[in-house]
Every structure is written in structure tokens, then in C-alpha cells.
Amino acid sequence: MNLTELAEQLDGRAAVTLRPHLFRATDAEARWVCRLYGYRITEERRAGPNTELLAVVDQDPAARARGAWMRRPDLTPGVHSPVPWTCVAGAGTPSAWTPPGWPQGHTPLRPAPDRMPGPSADRIRAQNDPALLLLLAALFAVMALLIAAARPAGALLLGLFAVGSLAAHPPAKRHRERRLRRAEAAAEPSASGNHLD
């Protein structure tokens, strides 16, 4: 994964179009790096299995300060920093991503996988509405009724598809609601105790 090339694109320009797959980065990693550098994702487009993200400079003063600090960090232990970071230099330590301009072995702390930035709540609402499963179930049921007399086996199969679509709706709805709660509850990480030895 080459997050350095991705970070180099986030140089303070007003807007940047990113293609995370070209940097061997996941969408979550791209969102995380954007957040670190004071950008926010305003648009997400799918191109087959790949994603294209439009990132714009976040006008929030905390985001701007975070972006400026990432470009010129003060990595003195004990000095306040808007980004949690650590030093992993030394024998036997795993290699970590070192952002551009940072000393080797210093790295921002990566959030746990379940805390990585995800799509916005608006984006989640716009994607894959579970209500479509109800519409699909109704469509299968109507088709089953229409062909029941002529093709009973086909009607039975369509009826099973209708039941399956109905059964899939509640878990799909719960999953979407969990994603929405997580997106809405996403908070700024704590700025205290930023350096970890």
C-alpha cells in the first residue's frame, strides 16, 4: 500500500480527485488520510469494482489545523498535536507508514478497523435501500400469481424468491441502521495524550 503517494496529492489544493485502488489503498484508508490532511469526501463514484473519491479542503478550523500539522509536524513528545502519533523505530518493530516530511519510524496512529472513517450518513442513505427488497418481494409475488395456473412449479419458485426477499429485509435494515448510527456518531479523536511510546 502506498499511502505516501496518496498523501502527496493532498497538498492543500481546494479539491482533489482520488482513486484509492491506484495507490493500493482501501477506501477506508483513503478517507483516513484525507481526514488527517484536512480534507473531507464530498462525492463518491463507483467505476466497476473501484471507487473514485472527490476530496475538498474542510473549512473547519480544526481540520485545517490538522492538515497544516500533518505537513509540518512537531513530533516533540509532550507537545500538543492534533493527530495521535507514535514512534515505531527500533529493532523488531513492524514497518509503519511514514507520511511525507516525517522522520522515519514516526507514524500517525491508525484507528481500529471498526473506527476507520466510512461513508457519510447521507451516502449510506442513498445506497442500497432495504425497502427495495420489499418491492422485489412484491414483484415476485405478483409474477407468481400471474403464472400460477399455467406453471405451478415456476409460481412456487417465484413464491420462494418472494419469501426470501421478505426474510432478507429485516437484517438488511438492521445492518443499514448500524452503519447510519456509526456514521452519525463518528467523532473527532481525542487530542489529549497524542504521543505513545
Side-chain angles (χ1 to χ4, degrees):
M1 132 191 35
N2 194 341
L3 297 179
T4 300
E5 290 178 20
L6 182 66
E8 286 171 345
Q9 288 197 10
L10 304 171
D11 56 7
R13 286 178 282 169
V16 180
T17 299
L18 303 170
R19 293 168 187 87
H21 63 281
L22 296 178
F23 302 105
R24 297 180 307 281
T26 66
D27 290 356
E29 288 169 329
R31 283 187 177 86
W32 174 60
V33 173
C34 284
R35 187 185 173 288
L36 289 174
Y37 281 87
Y39 282 79
R40 62 184 170 81
I41 305 298
T42 59
E43 190 175 336
E44 178 181 327
R45 293 183 288 254
R46 285 275 181 211
N50 302 319
T51 304
E52 186 175 89
L53 304 171
L54 176 63
V56 298
V57 172
D58 193 333
Q59 297 304 317
D60 178 59
R64 293 178 71 86
R66 190 173 51 247
W69 187 88
M70 282 296 295
R71 290 178 193 90
R72 295 182 57 113
D74 181 355
L75 299 173
T76 307
V79 173
H80 169 75
S81 64
V83 174
W85 63 276
T86 190
C87 180
V88 293
T93 58
S95 62
W97 171 55
T98 300
W102 286 45
Q104 193 61 35
H106 291 74
T107 184
L109 290 176
R110 184 182 298 253
D114 64 330
R115 299 293 301 159
M116 286 292 268
S120 68
D122 291 337
R123 181 71 185 161
I124 293 168
R125 282 186 196 96
Q127 297 175 331
N128 307 326
D129 187 351
L132 293 176
L133 288 168
L134 297 176
L135 182 62
L136 190 61
L139 178 66
F140 284 140
V142 168
M143 289 172 58
L145 289 174
L146 291 175
I147 68 165
R151 299 192 181 257
L156 178 61
L157 186 60
L158 287 171
L160 290 174
F161 285 155
V163 170
S165 297
L166 281 174
H169 179 262
K173 186 175 178 183
R174 284 192 301 271
H175 176 70
R176 183 173 188 237
E177 288 169 355
R178 277 193 305 272
R179 290 182 68 206
L180 280 169
R181 279 194 303 271
R182 181 174 167 241
E184 291 167 349
E188 297 283 322
S190 170
S192 61
N194 291 316
H195 174 253
L196 300 179
D197 286 320

